mmCIF file with all atom_site columns, all heavy atoms in Angstrom:
data_model
loop_
_atom_site.group_PDB
_atom_site.id
_atom_site.type_symbol
_atom_site.label_atom_id
_atom_site.label_alt_id
_atom_site.label_comp_id
_atom_site.label_asym_id
_atom_site.label_entity_id
_atom_site.label_seq_id
_atom_site.pdbx_PDB_ins_code
_atom_site.Cartn_x
_atom_site.Cartn_y
_atom_site.Cartn_z
_atom_site.occupancy
_atom_site.B_iso_or_equiv
_atom_site.pdbx_formal_charge
_atom_site.auth_seq_id
_atom_site.auth_comp_id
_atom_site.auth_asym_id
_atom_site.auth_atom_id
_atom_site.pdbx_PDB_model_num
ATOM 1  N N   . ALA A 1 2  ? -15.714 31.659 30.783 1.00 0.00 ? 4  ALA A N   1
ATOM 2  C CA  . ALA A 1 2  ? -14.902 31.682 29.564 1.00 0.00 ? 4  ALA A CA  1
ATOM 3  C C   . ALA A 1 2  ? -14.181 32.995 29.347 1.00 0.00 ? 4  ALA A C   1
ATOM 4  O O   . ALA A 1 2  ? -14.164 33.883 30.191 1.00 0.00 ? 4  ALA A O   1
ATOM 5  C CB  . ALA A 1 2  ? -15.772 31.395 28.364 1.00 0.00 ? 4  ALA A CB  1
ATOM 6  N N   . ASP A 1 3  ? -13.617 33.054 28.210 1.00 0.00 ? 5  ASP A N   1
ATOM 7  C CA  . ASP A 1 3  ? -12.806 34.139 27.722 1.00 0.00 ? 5  ASP A CA  1
ATOM 8  C C   . ASP A 1 3  ? -13.423 35.517 27.911 1.00 0.00 ? 5  ASP A C   1
ATOM 9  O O   . ASP A 1 3  ? -13.223 36.204 28.911 1.00 0.00 ? 5  ASP A O   1
ATOM 10 C CB  . ASP A 1 3  ? -12.512 33.883 26.242 1.00 0.00 ? 5  ASP A CB  1
ATOM 11 C CG  . ASP A 1 3  ? -13.553 32.957 25.618 1.00 0.00 ? 5  ASP A CG  1
ATOM 12 O OD1 . ASP A 1 3  ? -13.904 31.933 26.271 1.00 0.00 ? 5  ASP A OD1 1
ATOM 13 O OD2 . ASP A 1 3  ? -14.012 33.223 24.537 1.00 0.00 ? 5  ASP A OD2 1
ATOM 14 N N   . LYS A 1 4  ? -14.209 35.876 26.938 1.00 0.00 ? 6  LYS A N   1
ATOM 15 C CA  . LYS A 1 4  ? -14.613 37.277 26.799 1.00 0.00 ? 6  LYS A CA  1
ATOM 16 C C   . LYS A 1 4  ? -15.698 37.670 27.797 1.00 0.00 ? 6  LYS A C   1
ATOM 17 O O   . LYS A 1 4  ? -16.821 37.936 27.443 1.00 0.00 ? 6  LYS A O   1
ATOM 18 C CB  . LYS A 1 4  ? -15.134 37.527 25.380 1.00 0.00 ? 6  LYS A CB  1
ATOM 19 C CG  . LYS A 1 4  ? -14.267 36.926 24.296 1.00 0.00 ? 6  LYS A CG  1
ATOM 20 C CD  . LYS A 1 4  ? -15.069 36.743 23.010 1.00 0.00 ? 6  LYS A CD  1
ATOM 21 C CE  . LYS A 1 4  ? -14.772 35.437 22.357 1.00 0.00 ? 6  LYS A CE  1
ATOM 22 N NZ  . LYS A 1 4  ? -15.770 34.993 21.403 1.00 0.00 ? 6  LYS A NZ  1
ATOM 23 N N   . THR A 1 5  ? -15.356 37.663 29.062 1.00 0.00 ? 7  THR A N   1
ATOM 24 C CA  . THR A 1 5  ? -16.345 38.069 30.048 1.00 0.00 ? 7  THR A CA  1
ATOM 25 C C   . THR A 1 5  ? -15.819 39.261 30.824 1.00 0.00 ? 7  THR A C   1
ATOM 26 O O   . THR A 1 5  ? -14.622 39.516 30.861 1.00 0.00 ? 7  THR A O   1
ATOM 27 C CB  . THR A 1 5  ? -16.636 36.939 31.042 1.00 0.00 ? 7  THR A CB  1
ATOM 28 O OG1 . THR A 1 5  ? -15.442 36.672 31.787 1.00 0.00 ? 7  THR A OG1 1
ATOM 29 C CG2 . THR A 1 5  ? -17.041 35.685 30.321 1.00 0.00 ? 7  THR A CG2 1
ATOM 30 N N   . GLU A 1 6  ? -16.720 39.931 31.462 1.00 0.00 ? 8  GLU A N   1
ATOM 31 C CA  . GLU A 1 6  ? -16.313 41.125 32.180 1.00 0.00 ? 8  GLU A CA  1
ATOM 32 C C   . GLU A 1 6  ? -17.181 41.245 33.417 1.00 0.00 ? 8  GLU A C   1
ATOM 33 O O   . GLU A 1 6  ? -18.407 41.268 33.345 1.00 0.00 ? 8  GLU A O   1
ATOM 34 C CB  . GLU A 1 6  ? -16.523 42.353 31.275 1.00 0.00 ? 8  GLU A CB  1
ATOM 35 C CG  . GLU A 1 6  ? -16.064 43.652 31.881 1.00 0.00 ? 8  GLU A CG  1
ATOM 36 C CD  . GLU A 1 6  ? -16.694 44.834 31.137 1.00 0.00 ? 8  GLU A CD  1
ATOM 37 O OE1 . GLU A 1 6  ? -17.109 44.657 29.974 1.00 0.00 ? 8  GLU A OE1 1
ATOM 38 O OE2 . GLU A 1 6  ? -16.781 45.909 31.738 1.00 0.00 ? 8  GLU A OE2 1
ATOM 39 N N   . LEU A 1 7  ? -16.543 41.273 34.556 1.00 0.00 ? 9  LEU A N   1
ATOM 40 C CA  . LEU A 1 7  ? -17.293 41.438 35.793 1.00 0.00 ? 9  LEU A CA  1
ATOM 41 C C   . LEU A 1 7  ? -17.629 42.905 35.992 1.00 0.00 ? 9  LEU A C   1
ATOM 42 O O   . LEU A 1 7  ? -16.807 43.776 35.715 1.00 0.00 ? 9  LEU A O   1
ATOM 43 C CB  . LEU A 1 7  ? -16.470 40.926 36.977 1.00 0.00 ? 9  LEU A CB  1
ATOM 44 C CG  . LEU A 1 7  ? -16.489 39.411 37.122 1.00 0.00 ? 9  LEU A CG  1
ATOM 45 C CD1 . LEU A 1 7  ? -15.456 38.958 38.129 1.00 0.00 ? 9  LEU A CD1 1
ATOM 46 C CD2 . LEU A 1 7  ? -17.876 38.962 37.540 1.00 0.00 ? 9  LEU A CD2 1
ATOM 47 N N   . ARG A 1 8  ? -18.796 43.149 36.525 1.00 0.00 ? 10 ARG A N   1
ATOM 48 C CA  . ARG A 1 8  ? -19.150 44.551 36.700 1.00 0.00 ? 10 ARG A CA  1
ATOM 49 C C   . ARG A 1 8  ? -19.563 44.864 38.127 1.00 0.00 ? 10 ARG A C   1
ATOM 50 O O   . ARG A 1 8  ? -20.024 45.974 38.398 1.00 0.00 ? 10 ARG A O   1
ATOM 51 C CB  . ARG A 1 8  ? -20.302 44.911 35.750 1.00 0.00 ? 10 ARG A CB  1
ATOM 52 C CG  . ARG A 1 8  ? -19.894 44.813 34.289 1.00 0.00 ? 10 ARG A CG  1
ATOM 53 C CD  . ARG A 1 8  ? -20.773 45.694 33.452 1.00 0.00 ? 10 ARG A CD  1
ATOM 54 N NE  . ARG A 1 8  ? -22.123 45.163 33.385 1.00 0.00 ? 10 ARG A NE  1
ATOM 55 C CZ  . ARG A 1 8  ? -23.191 45.901 33.065 1.00 0.00 ? 10 ARG A CZ  1
ATOM 56 N NH1 . ARG A 1 8  ? -23.056 47.180 32.809 1.00 0.00 ? 10 ARG A NH1 1
ATOM 57 N NH2 . ARG A 1 8  ? -24.372 45.351 32.980 1.00 0.00 ? 10 ARG A NH2 1
ATOM 58 N N   . GLY A 1 9  ? -19.356 43.894 39.061 1.00 0.00 ? 11 GLY A N   1
ATOM 59 C CA  . GLY A 1 9  ? -19.804 44.156 40.430 1.00 0.00 ? 11 GLY A CA  1
ATOM 60 C C   . GLY A 1 9  ? -21.296 44.418 40.412 1.00 0.00 ? 11 GLY A C   1
ATOM 61 O O   . GLY A 1 9  ? -21.959 44.240 39.404 1.00 0.00 ? 11 GLY A O   1
ATOM 62 N N   . ARG A 1 10 ? -21.809 44.824 41.523 1.00 0.00 ? 12 ARG A N   1
ATOM 63 C CA  . ARG A 1 10 ? -23.246 45.110 41.546 1.00 0.00 ? 12 ARG A CA  1
ATOM 64 C C   . ARG A 1 10 ? -23.567 46.304 40.677 1.00 0.00 ? 12 ARG A C   1
ATOM 65 O O   . ARG A 1 10 ? -22.820 47.272 40.636 1.00 0.00 ? 12 ARG A O   1
ATOM 66 C CB  . ARG A 1 10 ? -23.650 45.358 42.996 1.00 0.00 ? 12 ARG A CB  1
ATOM 67 C CG  . ARG A 1 10 ? -24.853 46.274 43.193 1.00 0.00 ? 12 ARG A CG  1
ATOM 68 C CD  . ARG A 1 10 ? -25.356 46.181 44.606 1.00 0.00 ? 12 ARG A CD  1
ATOM 69 N NE  . ARG A 1 10 ? -25.398 44.819 45.043 1.00 0.00 ? 12 ARG A NE  1
ATOM 70 C CZ  . ARG A 1 10 ? -26.271 43.928 44.584 1.00 0.00 ? 12 ARG A CZ  1
ATOM 71 N NH1 . ARG A 1 10 ? -27.152 44.278 43.676 1.00 0.00 ? 12 ARG A NH1 1
ATOM 72 N NH2 . ARG A 1 10 ? -26.248 42.702 45.029 1.00 0.00 ? 12 ARG A NH2 1
ATOM 73 N N   . GLN A 1 11 ? -24.646 46.227 39.980 1.00 0.00 ? 13 GLN A N   1
ATOM 74 C CA  . GLN A 1 11 ? -25.028 47.374 39.153 1.00 0.00 ? 13 GLN A CA  1
ATOM 75 C C   . GLN A 1 11 ? -26.484 47.747 39.419 1.00 0.00 ? 13 GLN A C   1
ATOM 76 O O   . GLN A 1 11 ? -26.754 48.548 40.286 1.00 0.00 ? 13 GLN A O   1
ATOM 77 C CB  . GLN A 1 11 ? -24.833 47.027 37.671 1.00 0.00 ? 13 GLN A CB  1
ATOM 78 C CG  . GLN A 1 11 ? -23.374 46.771 37.329 1.00 0.00 ? 13 GLN A CG  1
ATOM 79 C CD  . GLN A 1 11 ? -22.715 47.973 36.695 1.00 0.00 ? 13 GLN A CD  1
ATOM 80 O OE1 . GLN A 1 11 ? -23.352 48.726 35.997 1.00 0.00 ? 13 GLN A OE1 1
ATOM 81 N NE2 . GLN A 1 11 ? -21.429 48.171 36.958 1.00 0.00 ? 13 GLN A NE2 1
ATOM 82 N N   . VAL A 1 12 ? -27.375 47.075 38.712 1.00 0.00 ? 14 VAL A N   1
ATOM 83 C CA  . VAL A 1 12 ? -28.787 47.389 38.924 1.00 0.00 ? 14 VAL A CA  1
ATOM 84 C C   . VAL A 1 12 ? -29.243 46.787 40.250 1.00 0.00 ? 14 VAL A C   1
ATOM 85 O O   . VAL A 1 12 ? -29.127 45.587 40.446 1.00 0.00 ? 14 VAL A O   1
ATOM 86 C CB  . VAL A 1 12 ? -29.648 46.772 37.808 1.00 0.00 ? 14 VAL A CB  1
ATOM 87 C CG1 . VAL A 1 12 ? -31.088 47.201 37.971 1.00 0.00 ? 14 VAL A CG1 1
ATOM 88 C CG2 . VAL A 1 12 ? -29.105 47.166 36.447 1.00 0.00 ? 14 VAL A CG2 1
ATOM 89 N N   . PRO A 1 13 ? -29.726 47.584 41.179 1.00 0.00 ? 15 PRO A N   1
ATOM 90 C CA  . PRO A 1 13 ? -30.332 46.982 42.372 1.00 0.00 ? 15 PRO A CA  1
ATOM 91 C C   . PRO A 1 13 ? -31.613 46.270 41.946 1.00 0.00 ? 15 PRO A C   1
ATOM 92 O O   . PRO A 1 13 ? -32.344 46.740 41.071 1.00 0.00 ? 15 PRO A O   1
ATOM 93 C CB  . PRO A 1 13 ? -30.634 48.185 43.272 1.00 0.00 ? 15 PRO A CB  1
ATOM 94 C CG  . PRO A 1 13 ? -30.589 49.383 42.392 1.00 0.00 ? 15 PRO A CG  1
ATOM 95 C CD  . PRO A 1 13 ? -29.796 49.040 41.174 1.00 0.00 ? 15 PRO A CD  1
#
Side-chain angles (χ1 to χ4, degrees):
Chain A
D5 23 316
K6 315 159 222 161
T7 65
E8 183 198 338
L9 281 169
R10 295 204 290 159
R12 152 166 316 290
Q13 296 261 328
V14 185

